[in-house]
Amino acid sequence: SVRSASTILFAQAARSKMVAVTCHGATRQHTSPAYRRYIQKQKGGGAFVIQGDNGENSAPNSSTAYVYLKGGPKIPAQEPGIQIPSLDVAKHMPNGYSEMDNEPLLAIAEMGNHSARVEVLKRHIMAVDECDYREATKTFDKIAKKSREGIRRQILPYQIGIAGALVSAVGSIPMVFDVNTAMWFNRKFVTMDIPEPSELDTWLEVGAWTWNWMEPVLGTASFVLLCLQFSRAQIQNLGLKPFTKYLKEMRARNLAKAFPQYNEHFLIEFVETDPMFESLFQNSSK
């Protein structure tokens, strides 16, 4: 019968240390293996407490019920419609990575979030050294400082490229349209016949004259950059970052040799997302 079947289901749920949650008169049995594993991870068991918005115990047919586990209140996503968080749910929200549980923190770290990887490494230091969070933070600062040794020399090619691109971009404008700059450059490097003064009255006329020697330079530079961009796109399609990847792998190897007691995977992941330039001016532990 229906009653005997309900009794059997309730007994099975009780043996699994679970209780059926009744809302809107409908009974939901949480009997999946994944859910049982989740309940077993909760400290102190997995009993449910059904409470309403006012914090008092709600009747089984209450229109709004919030499920409380050992880890804190949860939004009743099993209810129909779009649910909104209660005040207790908002109060239990972590305010930073240091307040997050290990499982979600590891998941975020694997997605490439640097702050999460920093927190994972700090907790790993706590577990290995059996120390508190403050001591682990001091050890992490030593690791971060070690990882940045020689970084000024490593980022020099990037800085040269940035400076060269900016100088070329700004300097090309007076080289083409400014008559004084054009005259000086022509006298020093080009030695082309100078037009009549009446043909250099406007900046457009100056550009028409300077384009005789600027066109080959700018055209060749544009074609070279186009080929380099195409090459870079194909390298990215292969998932490669030759120079940058080499630098980060070198930093990771040096870090693993300097701190062999810690998990190499955590050290490598930290170096992978640690900004090379920003790490000169800001603390990576933030």
Side-chain angles (χ1 to χ4, degrees), residues 56-89:
E56 299 178 356
N57 291 338
S58 301
N61 58 353
S62 174
S63 60
T64 305
Y66 290 92
V67 181
Y68 282 72
L69 297 174
K70 186 67 176 179
K74 310 295 180 183
I75 300 176
Q78 73 278 2
E79 290 295 309
I82 302 298
Q83 303 298 314
I84 60 175
S86 66
L87 179 59
D88 288 338
V89 171

PDB file of all heavy atoms in Angstrom, residues 56-89:
ATOM      1  N   GLU A  56      11.506  31.207  13.520  1.00  0.00           N
ATOM      2  CA  GLU A  56      10.801  30.211  14.305  1.00  0.00           C
ATOM      3  C   GLU A  56      10.582  28.953  13.478  1.00  0.00           C
ATOM      4  O   GLU A  56      10.640  28.970  12.249  1.00  0.00           O
ATOM      5  CB  GLU A  56       9.453  30.780  14.764  1.00  0.00           C
ATOM      6  CG  GLU A  56       9.590  32.014  15.655  1.00  0.00           C
ATOM      7  CD  GLU A  56       8.236  32.565  16.046  1.00  0.00           C
ATOM      8  OE1 GLU A  56       7.219  32.027  15.548  1.00  0.00           O
ATOM      9  OE2 GLU A  56       8.192  33.512  16.851  1.00  0.00           O
ATOM     10  N   ASN A  57      10.309  27.857  14.187  1.00  0.00           N
ATOM     11  CA  ASN A  57      10.054  26.611  13.487  1.00  0.00           C
ATOM     12  C   ASN A  57       8.808  26.738  12.641  1.00  0.00           C
ATOM     13  O   ASN A  57       7.791  27.284  13.066  1.00  0.00           O
ATOM     14  CB  ASN A  57       9.869  25.462  14.483  1.00  0.00           C
ATOM     15  CG  ASN A  57      11.165  25.135  15.191  1.00  0.00           C
ATOM     16  OD1 ASN A  57      12.237  25.454  14.690  1.00  0.00           O
ATOM     17  ND2 ASN A  57      11.067  24.518  16.357  1.00  0.00           N
ATOM     18  N   SER A  58       8.884  26.259  11.385  1.00  0.00           N
ATOM     19  CA  SER A  58       7.785  26.380  10.456  1.00  0.00           C
ATOM     20  C   SER A  58       6.988  25.086  10.415  1.00  0.00           C
ATOM     21  O   SER A  58       7.510  24.002  10.661  1.00  0.00           O
ATOM     22  CB  SER A  58       8.294  26.697   9.050  1.00  0.00           C
ATOM     23  OG  SER A  58       9.028  27.903   9.067  1.00  0.00           O
ATOM     24  N   ALA A  59       5.722  25.232  10.096  1.00  0.00           N
ATOM     25  CA  ALA A  59       4.876  24.059   9.920  1.00  0.00           C
ATOM     26  C   ALA A  59       5.255  23.347   8.640  1.00  0.00           C
ATOM     27  O   ALA A  59       5.848  23.946   7.736  1.00  0.00           O
ATOM     28  CB  ALA A  59       3.405  24.481   9.862  1.00  0.00           C
ATOM     29  N   PRO A  60       4.975  22.052   8.498  1.00  0.00           N
ATOM     30  CA  PRO A  60       5.353  21.332   7.293  1.00  0.00           C
ATOM     31  C   PRO A  60       4.794  21.950   6.025  1.00  0.00           C
ATOM     32  O   PRO A  60       5.393  21.819   4.976  1.00  0.00           O
ATOM     33  CB  PRO A  60       4.768  19.935   7.532  1.00  0.00           C
ATOM     34  CG  PRO A  60       4.693  19.801   9.023  1.00  0.00           C
ATOM     35  CD  PRO A  60       4.362  21.182   9.511  1.00  0.00           C
ATOM     36  N   ASN A  61       3.644  22.643   6.108  1.00  0.00           N
ATOM     37  CA  ASN A  61       3.066  23.215   4.901  1.00  0.00           C
ATOM     38  C   ASN A  61       3.369  24.709   4.782  1.00  0.00           C
ATOM     39  O   ASN A  61       2.658  25.439   4.120  1.00  0.00           O
ATOM     40  CB  ASN A  61       1.547  23.006   4.886  1.00  0.00           C
ATOM     41  CG  ASN A  61       0.878  23.620   6.118  1.00  0.00           C
ATOM     42  OD1 ASN A  61       1.569  24.086   7.022  1.00  0.00           O
ATOM     43  ND2 ASN A  61      -0.450  23.594   6.152  1.00  0.00           N
ATOM     44  N   SER A  62       4.428  25.162   5.435  1.00  0.00           N
ATOM     45  CA  SER A  62       4.783  26.579   5.376  1.00  0.00           C
ATOM     46  C   SER A  62       5.174  26.953   3.943  1.00  0.00           C
ATOM     47  O   SER A  62       5.805  26.189   3.232  1.00  0.00           O
ATOM     48  CB  SER A  62       5.964  26.871   6.320  1.00  0.00           C
ATOM     49  OG  SER A  62       6.404  28.185   6.167  1.00  0.00           O
ATOM     50  N   SER A  63       4.782  28.174   3.540  1.00  0.00           N
ATOM     51  CA  SER A  63       5.054  28.596   2.170  1.00  0.00           C
ATOM     52  C   SER A  63       6.523  28.924   1.944  1.00  0.00           C
ATOM     53  O   SER A  63       7.016  28.856   0.829  1.00  0.00           O
ATOM     54  CB  SER A  63       4.201  29.818   1.826  1.00  0.00           C
ATOM     55  OG  SER A  63       4.512  30.884   2.718  1.00  0.00           O
ATOM     56  N   THR A  64       7.245  29.316   2.989  1.00  0.00           N
ATOM     57  CA  THR A  64       8.659  29.650   2.862  1.00  0.00           C
ATOM     58  C   THR A  64       9.429  28.961   3.971  1.00  0.00           C
ATOM     59  O   THR A  64       9.181  29.225   5.142  1.00  0.00           O
ATOM     60  CB  THR A  64       8.883  31.168   2.967  1.00  0.00           C
ATOM     61  OG1 THR A  64       8.077  31.821   1.995  1.00  0.00           O
ATOM     62  CG2 THR A  64      10.345  31.504   2.738  1.00  0.00           C
ATOM     63  N   ALA A  65      10.342  28.077   3.606  1.00  0.00           N
ATOM     64  CA  ALA A  65      11.135  27.348   4.588  1.00  0.00           C
ATOM     65  C   ALA A  65      12.589  27.354   4.159  1.00  0.00           C
ATOM     66  O   ALA A  65      12.894  27.201   2.982  1.00  0.00           O
ATOM     67  CB  ALA A  65      10.639  25.918   4.723  1.00  0.00           C
ATOM     68  N   TYR A  66      13.500  27.543   5.113  1.00  0.00           N
ATOM     69  CA  TYR A  66      14.927  27.551   4.826  1.00  0.00           C
ATOM     70  C   TYR A  66      15.562  26.353   5.506  1.00  0.00           C
ATOM     71  O   TYR A  66      15.283  26.046   6.668  1.00  0.00           O
ATOM     72  CB  TYR A  66      15.581  28.844   5.321  1.00  0.00           C
ATOM     73  CG  TYR A  66      15.152  30.029   4.502  1.00  0.00           C
ATOM     74  CD1 TYR A  66      14.048  30.793   4.873  1.00  0.00           C
ATOM     75  CD2 TYR A  66      15.811  30.346   3.331  1.00  0.00           C
ATOM     76  CE1 TYR A  66      13.640  31.863   4.097  1.00  0.00           C
ATOM     77  CE2 TYR A  66      15.408  31.414   2.554  1.00  0.00           C
ATOM     78  CZ  TYR A  66      14.325  32.166   2.948  1.00  0.00           C
ATOM     79  OH  TYR A  66      13.915  33.224   2.179  1.00  0.00           O
ATOM     80  N   VAL A  67      16.417  25.662   4.767  1.00  0.00           N
ATOM     81  CA  VAL A  67      17.035  24.449   5.259  1.00  0.00           C
ATOM     82  C   VAL A  67      18.369  24.801   5.903  1.00  0.00           C
ATOM     83  O   VAL A  67      19.212  25.444   5.286  1.00  0.00           O
ATOM     84  CB  VAL A  67      17.267  23.459   4.091  1.00  0.00           C
ATOM     85  CG1 VAL A  67      17.888  22.175   4.604  1.00  0.00           C
ATOM     86  CG2 VAL A  67      15.939  23.163   3.409  1.00  0.00           C
ATOM     87  N   TYR A  68      18.556  24.342   7.135  1.00  0.00           N
ATOM     88  CA  TYR A  68      19.782  24.608   7.871  1.00  0.00           C
ATOM     89  C   TYR A  68      20.560  23.313   8.023  1.00  0.00           C
ATOM     90  O   TYR A  68      20.033  22.323   8.536  1.00  0.00           O
ATOM     91  CB  TYR A  68      19.477  25.176   9.259  1.00  0.00           C
ATOM     92  CG  TYR A  68      19.106  26.633   9.236  1.00  0.00           C
ATOM     93  CD1 TYR A  68      17.881  27.044   8.728  1.00  0.00           C
ATOM     94  CD2 TYR A  68      19.986  27.594   9.697  1.00  0.00           C
ATOM     95  CE1 TYR A  68      17.547  28.382   8.683  1.00  0.00           C
ATOM     96  CE2 TYR A  68      19.658  28.940   9.659  1.00  0.00           C
ATOM     97  CZ  TYR A  68      18.437  29.323   9.164  1.00  0.00           C
ATOM     98  OH  TYR A  68      18.102  30.644   9.119  1.00  0.00           O
ATOM     99  N   LEU A  69      21.797  23.304   7.586  1.00  0.00           N
ATOM    100  CA  LEU A  69      22.714  22.212   7.840  1.00  0.00           C
ATOM    101  C   LEU A  69      23.746  22.697   8.843  1.00  0.00           C
ATOM    102  O   LEU A  69      23.723  23.838   9.282  1.00  0.00           O
ATOM    103  CB  LEU A  69      23.385  21.762   6.546  1.00  0.00           C
ATOM    104  CG  LEU A  69      22.436  21.198   5.483  1.00  0.00           C
ATOM    105  CD1 LEU A  69      23.211  20.920   4.205  1.00  0.00           C
ATOM    106  CD2 LEU A  69      21.751  19.943   5.966  1.00  0.00           C
ATOM    107  N   LYS A  70      24.674  21.798   9.175  1.00  0.00           N
ATOM    108  CA  LYS A  70      25.700  22.170  10.128  1.00  0.00           C
ATOM    109  C   LYS A  70      26.537  23.336   9.617  1.00  0.00           C
ATOM    110  O   LYS A  70      26.998  24.181  10.368  1.00  0.00           O
ATOM    111  CB  LYS A  70      26.609  20.953  10.399  1.00  0.00           C
ATOM    112  CG  LYS A  70      27.642  21.169  11.492  1.00  0.00           C
ATOM    113  CD  LYS A  70      26.975  21.316  12.832  1.00  0.00           C
ATOM    114  CE  LYS A  70      28.021  21.435  13.945  1.00  0.00           C
ATOM    115  NZ  LYS A  70      27.396  21.599  15.254  1.00  0.00           N
ATOM    116  N   GLY A  71      26.750  23.419   8.275  1.00  0.00           N
ATOM    117  CA  GLY A  71      27.579  24.472   7.710  1.00  0.00           C
ATOM    118  C   GLY A  71      26.887  25.817   7.614  1.00  0.00           C
ATOM    119  O   GLY A  71      27.513  26.792   7.260  1.00  0.00           O
ATOM    120  N   GLY A  72      25.594  25.904   7.891  1.00  0.00           N
ATOM    121  CA  GLY A  72      24.908  27.175   7.812  1.00  0.00           C
ATOM    122  C   GLY A  72      23.626  27.052   7.007  1.00  0.00           C
ATOM    123  O   GLY A  72      23.303  25.999   6.455  1.00  0.00           O
ATOM    124  N   PRO A  73      22.850  28.126   6.902  1.00  0.00           N
ATOM    125  CA  PRO A  73      21.572  28.091   6.191  1.00  0.00           C
ATOM    126  C   PRO A  73      21.777  27.957   4.690  1.00  0.00           C
ATOM    127  O   PRO A  73      22.766  28.428   4.145  1.00  0.00           O
ATOM    128  CB  PRO A  73      20.936  29.431   6.549  1.00  0.00           C
ATOM    129  CG  PRO A  73      22.105  30.326   6.830  1.00  0.00           C
ATOM    130  CD  PRO A  73      23.143  29.458   7.469  1.00  0.00           C
ATOM    131  N   LYS A  74      20.841  27.315   4.043  1.00  0.00           N
ATOM    132  CA  LYS A  74      20.891  27.132   2.599  1.00  0.00           C
ATOM    133  C   LYS A  74      19.616  27.674   1.971  1.00  0.00           C
ATOM    134  O   LYS A  74      18.552  27.680   2.576  1.00  0.00           O
ATOM    135  CB  LYS A  74      21.030  25.646   2.236  1.00  0.00           C
ATOM    136  CG  LYS A  74      22.143  24.914   2.970  1.00  0.00           C
ATOM    137  CD  LYS A  74      23.514  25.449   2.593  1.00  0.00           C
ATOM    138  CE  LYS A  74      24.608  24.694   3.338  1.00  0.00           C
ATOM    139  NZ  LYS A  74      25.955  25.218   3.064  1.00  0.00           N
ATOM    140  N   ILE A  75      19.724  28.135   0.727  1.00  0.00           N
ATOM    141  CA  ILE A  75      18.552  28.587  -0.007  1.00  0.00           C
ATOM    142  C   ILE A  75      17.776  27.368  -0.493  1.00  0.00           C
ATOM    143  O   ILE A  75      18.367  26.463  -1.082  1.00  0.00           O
ATOM    144  CB  ILE A  75      18.966  29.457  -1.199  1.00  0.00           C
ATOM    145  CG1 ILE A  75      19.731  30.686  -0.703  1.00  0.00           C
ATOM    146  CG2 ILE A  75      17.758  29.880  -2.028  1.00  0.00           C
ATOM    147  CD1 ILE A  75      20.274  31.559  -1.816  1.00  0.00           C
ATOM    148  N   PRO A  76      16.485  27.285  -0.251  1.00  0.00           N
ATOM    149  CA  PRO A  76      15.692  26.101  -0.636  1.00  0.00           C
ATOM    150  C   PRO A  76      15.467  26.045  -2.137  1.00  0.00           C
ATOM    151  O   PRO A  76      14.387  26.356  -2.642  1.00  0.00           O
ATOM    152  CB  PRO A  76      14.391  26.298   0.140  1.00  0.00           C
ATOM    153  CG  PRO A  76      14.258  27.774   0.268  1.00  0.00           C
ATOM    154  CD  PRO A  76      15.658  28.304   0.425  1.00  0.00           C
ATOM    155  N   ALA A  77      16.486  25.635  -2.866  1.00  0.00           N
ATOM    156  CA  ALA A  77      16.400  25.613  -4.324  1.00  0.00           C
ATOM    157  C   ALA A  77      15.402  24.583  -4.832  1.00  0.00           C
ATOM    158  O   ALA A  77      15.005  24.618  -5.994  1.00  0.00           O
ATOM    159  CB  ALA A  77      17.778  25.339  -4.923  1.00  0.00           C
ATOM    160  N   GLN A  78      14.995  23.614  -3.965  1.00  0.00           N
ATOM    161  CA  GLN A  78      14.043  22.603  -4.408  1.00  0.00           C
ATOM    162  C   GLN A  78      12.620  23.150  -4.526  1.00  0.00           C
ATOM    163  O   GLN A  78      11.742  22.504  -5.094  1.00  0.00           O
ATOM    164  CB  GLN A  78      14.042  21.405  -3.445  1.00  0.00           C
ATOM    165  CG  GLN A  78      13.371  21.648  -2.099  1.00  0.00           C
ATOM    166  CD  GLN A  78      14.310  22.349  -1.122  1.00  0.00           C
ATOM    167  OE1 GLN A  78      15.436  22.673  -1.472  1.00  0.00           O
ATOM    168  NE2 GLN A  78      13.846  22.551   0.100  1.00  0.00           N
ATOM    169  N   GLU A  79      12.408  24.365  -4.011  1.00  0.00           N
ATOM    170  CA  GLU A  79      11.090  24.970  -4.078  1.00  0.00           C
ATOM    171  C   GLU A  79      10.807  25.494  -5.487  1.00  0.00           C
ATOM    172  O   GLU A  79      11.734  25.892  -6.206  1.00  0.00           O
ATOM    173  CB  GLU A  79      10.993  26.128  -3.078  1.00  0.00           C
ATOM    174  CG  GLU A  79      10.972  25.673  -1.624  1.00  0.00           C
ATOM    175  CD  GLU A  79       9.741  24.872  -1.304  1.00  0.00           C
ATOM    176  OE1 GLU A  79       8.626  25.339  -1.601  1.00  0.00           O
ATOM    177  OE2 GLU A  79       9.887  23.756  -0.784  1.00  0.00           O
ATOM    178  N   PRO A  80       9.561  25.524  -5.913  1.00  0.00           N
ATOM    179  CA  PRO A  80       9.246  26.054  -7.245  1.00  0.00           C
ATOM    180  C   PRO A  80       9.447  27.566  -7.306  1.00  0.00           C
ATOM    181  O   PRO A  80       9.299  28.270  -6.309  1.00  0.00           O
ATOM    182  CB  PRO A  80       7.765  25.681  -7.433  1.00  0.00           C
ATOM    183  CG  PRO A  80       7.225  25.559  -6.035  1.00  0.00           C
ATOM    184  CD  PRO A  80       8.352  24.997  -5.228  1.00  0.00           C
ATOM    185  N   GLY A  81       9.804  28.066  -8.492  1.00  0.00           N
ATOM    186  CA  GLY A  81       9.999  29.494  -8.669  1.00  0.00           C
ATOM    187  C   GLY A  81      11.407  29.941  -8.309  1.00  0.00           C
ATOM    188  O   GLY A  81      12.262  29.152  -7.904  1.00  0.00           O
ATOM    189  N   ILE A  82      11.646  31.237  -8.454  1.00  0.00           N
ATOM    190  CA  ILE A  82      12.951  31.810  -8.141  1.00  0.00           C
ATOM    191  C   ILE A  82      13.005  32.125  -6.658  1.00  0.00           C
ATOM    192  O   ILE A  82      12.175  32.891  -6.142  1.00  0.00           O
ATOM    193  CB  ILE A  82      13.203  33.083  -8.960  1.00  0.00           C
ATOM    194  CG1 ILE A  82      13.119  32.775 -10.449  1.00  0.00           C
ATOM    195  CG2 ILE A  82      14.556  33.679  -8.605  1.00  0.00           C
ATOM    196  CD1 ILE A  82      14.153  31.784 -10.930  1.00  0.00           C
ATOM    197  N   GLN A  83      13.969  31.534  -5.961  1.00  0.00           N
ATOM    198  CA  GLN A  83      14.118  31.744  -4.528  1.00  0.00           C
ATOM    199  C   GLN A  83      15.079  32.915  -4.267  1.00  0.00           C
ATOM    200  O   GLN A  83      15.980  33.194  -5.060  1.00  0.00           O
ATOM    201  CB  GLN A  83      14.657  30.479  -3.859  1.00  0.00           C
ATOM    202  CG  GLN A  83      13.798  29.243  -4.093  1.00  0.00           C
ATOM    203  CD  GLN A  83      12.405  29.405  -3.529  1.00  0.00           C
ATOM    204  OE1 GLN A  83      12.240  29.856  -2.394  1.00  0.00           O
ATOM    205  NE2 GLN A  83      11.412  29.041  -4.323  1.00  0.00           N
ATOM    206  N   ILE A  84      14.869  33.602  -3.160  1.00  0.00           N
ATOM    207  CA  ILE A  84      15.745  34.702  -2.758  1.00  0.00           C
ATOM    208  C   ILE A  84      16.364  34.360  -1.415  1.00  0.00           C
ATOM    209  O   ILE A  84      15.772  33.624  -0.616  1.00  0.00           O
ATOM    210  CB  ILE A  84      14.972  36.036  -2.671  1.00  0.00           C
ATOM    211  CG1 ILE A  84      13.831  35.933  -1.646  1.00  0.00           C
ATOM    212  CG2 ILE A  84      14.460  36.439  -4.035  1.00  0.00           C
ATOM    213  CD1 ILE A  84      13.104  37.246  -1.425  1.00  0.00           C
ATOM    214  N   PRO A  85      17.587  34.857  -1.143  1.00  0.00           N
ATOM    215  CA  PRO A  85      18.250  34.513   0.123  1.00  0.00           C
ATOM    216  C   PRO A  85      17.611  35.215   1.312  1.00  0.00           C
ATOM    217  O   PRO A  85      17.092  36.320   1.199  1.00  0.00           O
ATOM    218  CB  PRO A  85      19.684  34.986  -0.094  1.00  0.00           C
ATOM    219  CG  PRO A  85      19.554  36.088  -1.090  1.00  0.00           C
ATOM    220  CD  PRO A  85      18.427  35.691  -1.998  1.00  0.00           C
ATOM    221  N   SER A  86      17.662  34.540   2.431  1.00  0.00           N
ATOM    222  CA  SER A  86      17.200  35.144   3.671  1.00  0.00           C
ATOM    223  C   SER A  86      18.324  35.952   4.306  1.00  0.00           C
ATOM    224  O   SER A  86      19.474  35.932   3.839  1.00  0.00           O
ATOM    225  CB  SER A  86      16.732  34.061   4.648  1.00  0.00           C
ATOM    226  OG  SER A  86      17.840  33.271   5.052  1.00  0.00           O
ATOM    227  N   LEU A  87      18.017  36.650   5.389  1.00  0.00           N
ATOM    228  CA  LEU A  87      19.035  37.420   6.093  1.00  0.00           C
ATOM    229  C   LEU A  87      20.112  36.512   6.657  1.00  0.00           C
ATOM    230  O   LEU A  87      21.308  36.835   6.622  1.00  0.00           O
ATOM    231  CB  LEU A  87      18.383  38.241   7.214  1.00  0.00           C
ATOM    232  CG  LEU A  87      19.334  39.086   8.074  1.00  0.00           C
ATOM    233  CD1 LEU A  87      20.090  40.088   7.210  1.00  0.00           C
ATOM    234  CD2 LEU A  87      18.558  39.800   9.169  1.00  0.00           C
ATOM    235  N   ASP A  88      19.717  35.343   7.177  1.00  0.00           N
ATOM    236  CA  ASP A  88      20.704  34.409   7.723  1.00  0.00           C
ATOM    237  C   ASP A  88      21.642  33.895   6.647  1.00  0.00           C
ATOM    238  O   ASP A  88      22.841  33.713   6.878  1.00  0.00           O
ATOM    239  CB  ASP A  88      19.992  33.235   8.398  1.00  0.00           C
ATOM    240  CG  ASP A  88      19.346  33.651   9.708  1.00  0.00           C
ATOM    241  OD1 ASP A  88      19.773  34.672  10.275  1.00  0.00           O
ATOM    242  OD2 ASP A  88      18.414  32.958  10.164  1.00  0.00           O
ATOM    243  N   VAL A  89      21.093  33.645   5.449  1.00  0.00           N
ATOM    244  CA  VAL A  89      21.948  33.208   4.344  1.00  0.00           C
ATOM    245  C   VAL A  89      22.968  34.285   4.008  1.00  0.00           C
ATOM    246  O   VAL A  89      24.153  34.007   3.784  1.00  0.00           O
ATOM    247  CB  VAL A  89      21.095  32.858   3.107  1.00  0.00           C
ATOM    248  CG1 VAL A  89      21.979  32.627   1.892  1.00  0.00           C
ATOM    249  CG2 VAL A  89      20.241  31.629   3.369  1.00  0.00           C
TER     250      VAL A  89
END
